[in-house]
């Protein structure tokens, strides 16, 4: 039981949103530090979120991790490892209670680990009074899940490969704010099953066995440059071309691993063709897809309704989730975490 003499609890809450890569990250240059073999560029979403409350408590003997109201045995190891890094930085040894909610399905190719680790690091940084810069938060979130480095920031974001062996320069930075080029994102859910081969295993297998691995590494700089220029110039066609290229190239590489990684189902491919047919007919839209079966369509807001209707009509598409571009990770009130379920999409 706490008394008025107890020190104030070290707690804080944060919200972060998933991001979707337009120029893909696939492969690691250092597995232990989670350093990417290539740089990547993403967009951070609005509407979909993770809200996380972290409380360091002298009464606890072990870390307690809850996701969506249930003890999260699967994710707890990675969460504890990330908390260890924060504890080491703060010079404390207190265990923590972590309560996290997602308003979208976990583990189905919607990058819940990106928003999850970005929210965790942002909340724990405040709880421990570390006062880390966004770049430092990005580097720490990266060690929980690579793509989490990007969810620290909103809008269009680049995560640098970096050169340093300690990864100090492998952080994300914002390229353009969401409000400066609003785009719409329609996520066609084609399966709610947890993916069969996780991204880390998929990347390792690809690097070890795909004959296209070296070509992938060599071409990434040019793709990043094209995407950067397209974003700076708000050139939708140019961005569409290089983003679809990066997505198909990542999958070509993974398909050629041994054994091959096939993240698509039939509906993913049908939805991909539907997006291409729309663009051929003059609708400003392109597709991307990650290590799972959901197909993401990115379009100008004026085309969002038409794209959503088209994806709904694709056989095998279970649901279409609409989002815009959103903000980076930020602190929220602890009361907003408990109220999380009310806003589930
Ligand atoms: O951050 P991870 O380990 O979940 O890997 C993400 C990999 C892709 O989503 C396929 C690509 C990317 O850049 O997000």
């Amino acid at each position: 039981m706490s008394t008025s003499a107890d020190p104030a609890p070290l707690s804080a809450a944060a919200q972060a949103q998933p991001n979707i890569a337009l120029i893909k990250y696939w492969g690691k240059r250092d597995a232990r530090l989670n350093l990417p073999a290539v740089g990547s560029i993403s967009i951070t979403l609005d509407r979909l979120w993770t809200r996380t409350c972290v409380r360091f408590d002298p009464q606890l003997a072990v870390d307690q991790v809850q996701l969506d109201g249930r003890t999260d045995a699967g994710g707890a190891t990675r969460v504890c490892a990330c908390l260890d890094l924060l504890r080491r930085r703060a010079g404390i040894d207190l265990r923590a209670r972590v309560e996290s909610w997602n308003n979208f399905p976990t583990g189905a190719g919607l990058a819940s680990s990106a928003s999850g680790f970005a929210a965790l690091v942002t909340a724990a940084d405040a709880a421990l009074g570390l006062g880390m810069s966004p770049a430092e938060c990005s580097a720490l979130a990266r060690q929980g899940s690579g793509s989490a480095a990007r969810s620290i920031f909103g809008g269009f974001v680049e995560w640098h490969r970096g050169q340093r062996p300690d990864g100090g320069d492998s952080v994300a930075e914002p390229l353009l704010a969401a409000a400066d080029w609003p785009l719409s994102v329609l996520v066609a859910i084609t399966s709610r099953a947890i993916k069969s081969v996780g991204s880390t295993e998929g990347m390792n297998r690809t690097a070890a066995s795909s004959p296209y691995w070296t070509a992938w590494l060599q071409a990434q700089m040019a793709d990043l440059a094209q995407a950067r220029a397209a974003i700076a110039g708000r050139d939708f066609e140019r961005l569409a071309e290089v983003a679809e290229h990066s997505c198909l190239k990542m999958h070509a590489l993974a398909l050629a691993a041994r054994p091959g990684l096939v993240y698509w189902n039939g509906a993913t491919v049908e939805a991909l063709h539907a997006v291409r047919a729309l663009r051929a007919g003059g609708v400003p839209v392109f597709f991307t897809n990650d290590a799972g079966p959901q197909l993401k369509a990115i379009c100008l807001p004026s085309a969002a309704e038409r794209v959503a209707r088209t994806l709904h009509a694709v056989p095998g598409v279970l649901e279409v989730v609409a989002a815009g571009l959103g903000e980076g990770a930020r602190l929220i009130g602890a009361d907003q975490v408990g109220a999380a379920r009310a806003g589930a999409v």
Side-chain angles (χ1 to χ4, degrees):
M1 197 175 85
S2 69
T3 70
S4 55
D6 287 339
L10 300 167
S11 72
Q15 170 170 330
Q17 282 117 232
N19 68 76
I20 293 176
L22 303 183
I23 303 300
K24 302 295 182 189
Y25 149 53
W26 197 250
K28 301 179 196 279
R29 70 178 167 95
D30 183 312
R32 191 180 60 85
L33 292 173
N34 218 17
L35 296 173
V38 291
S40 55
I41 289 178
S42 62
I43 44 178
T44 301
L45 303 184
D46 65 5
R47 286 197 64 213
L48 312 177
W49 44 249
T50 301
R51 289 178 179 170
T52 299
C53 186
V54 182
R55 184 190 175 95
F56 292 88
D57 185 341
Q59 312 280 343
L60 293 174
V62 291
D63 288 324
Q64 294 178 356
V65 182
Q66 275 204 353
L67 178 61
D68 290 335
R70 286 183 298 274
T71 298
D72 181 26
T77 316
R78 282 162 78 198
V79 170
C80 297
C82 188
L83 289 171
D84 283 343
L85 296 173
L86 288 145
R87 277 188 279 258
R88 202 171 311 143
R89 210 173 161 116
I92 61 141
D93 197 30
L94 298 177
R95 301 295 109 182
R97 181 175 163 75
V98 176
E99 193 193 322
S100 197
W101 298 87
N102 288 332
N103 73 339
F104 61 98
T106 299
L110 275 169
S112 54
S113 62
S115 49
F117 281 98
L120 176 72
V121 168
T122 302
D125 170 55
L128 294 171
L130 287 169
M132 292 193 296
S133 67
E136 288 172 311
C137 287
S138 175
L140 260 170
R142 181 203 80 225
Q143 294 184 62
S145 168
S147 51
R150 301 184 305 232
S151 275
I152 294 293
F153 301 101
F156 295 79
V157 179
E158 178 163 5
W159 172 24
H160 299 284
R161 174 193 188 276
Q163 305 295 331
R164 283 173 38 182
D166 70 357
D169 53 353
S170 184
V171 297
E173 66 167 338
L175 291 177
L176 189 70
D180 289 340
W181 194 17
L183 296 179
S184 297
V185 178
L186 289 310
V187 182
I189 309 283
T190 65
S191 167
R192 295 200 178 86
I194 301 288
K195 63 187 173 231
S196 53
V197 181
S199 54
T200 296
E201 191 193 332
M203 288 180 200
N204 291 344
R205 192 189 297 174
T206 304
S209 63
S210 177
Y212 308 138
W213 178 242
T214 310
W216 164 253
L217 299 178
Q218 282 166 352
Q220 190 78 350
M221 295 286 265
D223 291 355
L224 289 166
Q226 183 175 335
R228 247 183 254 125
I231 291 164
R234 316 312 194 255
D235 185 337
F236 189 86
E237 264 305 309
R238 201 164 178 211
L239 186 61
E241 194 278 327
V242 73
E244 288 192 355
H245 171 65
S246 178
C247 170
L248 292 175
K249 193 162 50 174
M250 179 198 106
H251 284 279
L253 179 74
L255 283 163
R258 287 187 163 172
L261 295 151
V262 186
Y263 285 112
W264 300 340
N265 60 32
T268 319
V269 180
E270 289 303 333
L272 181 160
H273 283 302
V275 169
R276 284 202 144 174
L278 279 175
R279 189 148 98 261
V283 178
V285 61
F286 64 88
F287 69 82
T288 193
N289 154 262
D290 294 291
Q294 324 310 3
L295 201 276
K296 293 128 189 184
I298 290 125
C299 63
L300 294 180
S302 57
E305 254 187 62
R306 169 101 186 263
V307 173
R309 250 185 290 123
T310 302
L311 290 173
H312 265 298
V314 172
V317 170
L318 307 174
E319 188 190 345
V320 178
V321 175
L325 304 195
E327 293 173 62
R330 61 208 175 272
L331 295 174
I332 56 170
D335 53 325
Q336 287 178 266
V337 178
R341 295 313 292 162
V345 287

